[in-house]
Amino acid sequence: MQMLFQINQLLDDLFKWLSLEPECDDVKSVEAHLSTLGDKCDELTAVCEQAINEGQNLLDQLSLPVKNAFGQDVSPDNSKHTEHVEHLLGLLQSRRVEAEDFAQVRRLKLQQLRQLKKCEGDAEQAITWILELYAAAVEKMSEGTGDSI
């Protein structure tokens, strides 16, 4: 139960974080958001895998036969418990897939934003170079004619 609470808290936090629009003014901030997203997804994956493994172990234990001292099968009917665990594992898996899909969309958006910020930086650099070339050309032209422009 503790693990289920932890997973739900992680999923809630991830969904809240994903629903916020990040303030990314430059490539560095976009990459920081991408790194944070990766860390959050890795943490969620690890916790979910642990919960799924523990759930499967519990299902295995519930399906083991119980014998009394005489070797007779006295296994209780665990079908309701088995259904409950399977239901919880199914919910966990579906919520995990939903979170991973949402995270993938955000990852793609951040990657596109990073590319855009890089293009903006390249364009600014090109403008700077063009202005420097223009200034050099004007200076060269004015040296040849002696006029100041």
Side-chain angles (χ1 to χ4, degrees), residues 30-111:
V30 174
E31 288 175 348
H33 273 74
L34 278 167
S35 177
T36 302
L37 177 61
D39 293 344
K40 288 181 178 291
C41 289
D42 291 345
E43 179 184 10
L44 179 65
T45 298
V47 172
C48 284
E49 286 176 1
Q50 181 182 359
I52 289 170
N53 288 337
E54 288 184 18
Q56 289 300 326
N57 288 339
L58 180 58
L59 288 172
D60 292 344
Q61 290 175 2
L62 287 172
S63 67
L64 290 175
V66 178
K67 307 275 184 188
N68 65 12
F70 302 110
Q72 298 169 331
D73 187 16
V74 291
S75 300
D77 180 18
N78 288 324
S79 60
K80 288 185 181 181
H81 300 293
T82 301
E83 287 175 16
H84 180 68
V85 172
E86 288 172 343
H87 174 71
L88 290 176
L89 288 174
L91 288 176
L92 169 65
Q93 189 64 23
S94 66
R95 196 150 185 238
R96 176 185 174 186
V97 167
E98 182 182 357
E100 288 173 346
D101 289 347
F102 197 4
Q104 181 62 19
V105 169
R106 176 53 59 96
R107 183 177 292 110
L108 291 173
K109 181 177 179 180
L110 287 170
Q111 289 170 342

